[in-house]
Amino acid sequence: MTPTQVFSIVGMIAMPMWVLMIFLPKWKVTRFLIDYKVIPLFLSVIYAIYIFQAILIGGWMDFGSLTSVMALFTEENAVLAGWVHYLAFDLIVGMWMLDQNKKVGIHQLLMAPCLFGTFMFGPVGFLLFIILKTLKQKKHE
């Protein structure tokens, strides 16, 4: 499979998980996928394969400067690995938010923008969730 094909496949794998988390967070299938981290684990295997290939092709990765990191993103396998990294970790953060929300009780209509924000902009959705969580907890003190 080419990196371009894998890029399309990992997107098609991650997207339905986000749809389930946003629209059906309490459904037993969604909960199973969240509890066992099925999709992030699968993406982690793909990540491991492509990061290993990137190291074999380009040598050990240098994260010591912006220039070095920019150079990493000129190698196709490294870029694909980076993308899969984002997909997996954003999903893990979204799953964590839903797990946290079992205790906090933020309404699903307010959780949806947090999850969508995490899906599209990572830390922005996480930040929104933390703000709502803090406000909700302060309200109940």
Side-chain angles (χ1 to χ4, degrees), residues 96 100 104 106 129-137:
W96 176 84
Q100 288 291 300
V104 179
I106 298 168
F129 172 73
I130 294 299
I131 291 168
L132 290 176
K133 178 182 174 195
T134 302
L135 291 173
K136 179 94 174 178
Q137 289 173 330

Side-chain angles (χ1 to χ4, degrees), residues 49-75:
I49 291 166
Y50 280 89
I51 202 70
F52 182 70
Q53 287 180 0
I55 291 169
L56 287 177
I57 292 167
W60 196 249
M61 298 180 182
D62 177 9
F63 298 102
S65 70
L66 180 58
T67 302
S68 299
V69 172
M70 288 172 61
L72 291 175
F73 288 102
T74 61
E75 204 291 305

Side-chain angles (χ1 to χ4, degrees), residues 10-20 87 91 119-120:
V10 295
M12 289 187 291
I13 290 169
M15 177 66 78
M17 189 68 227
W18 282 108
V19 170
L20 289 173
L87 291 175
L91 273 172
F119 171 50
M120 295 302 295

Side-chain angles (χ1 to χ4, degrees), residues 17-120:
M17 189 68 227
W18 282 108
V19 170
L20 289 173
M21 289 174 18
I22 292 169
F23 295 106
L24 298 168
K26 295 178 183 176
W27 185 37
K28 65 181 178 179
V29 172
T30 307
R31 285 307 322 163
F32 174 85
L33 293 169
I34 290 171
D35 292 343
Y36 293 97
K37 310 295 185 268
V38 174
I39 304 303
L41 284 170
F42 181 73
L43 292 172
S44 295
V45 170
I46 295 169
Y47 172 81
I49 291 166
Y50 280 89
I51 202 70
F52 182 70
Q53 287 180 0
I55 291 169
L56 287 177
I57 292 167
W60 196 249
M61 298 180 182
D62 177 9
F63 298 102
S65 70
L66 180 58
T67 302
S68 299
V69 172
M70 288 172 61
L72 291 175
F73 288 102
T74 61
E75 204 291 305
E76 193 173 46
N77 287 329
V79 174
L80 178 59
W83 181 246
V84 175
H85 180 280
Y86 282 124
L87 291 175
F89 270 67
D90 287 354
L91 273 172
I92 290 168
V93 170
M95 291 174 175
W96 176 84
M97 289 165 33
L98 286 172
D99 284 341
Q100 288 291 300
N101 197 41
K102 287 192 278 186
K103 296 174 238 166
V104 179
I106 298 168
H107 193 278
Q108 188 172 338
L109 288 176
L110 292 174
M111 280 301 294
C114 297
L115 291 165
F116 182 75
T118 303
F119 171 50
M120 295 302 295

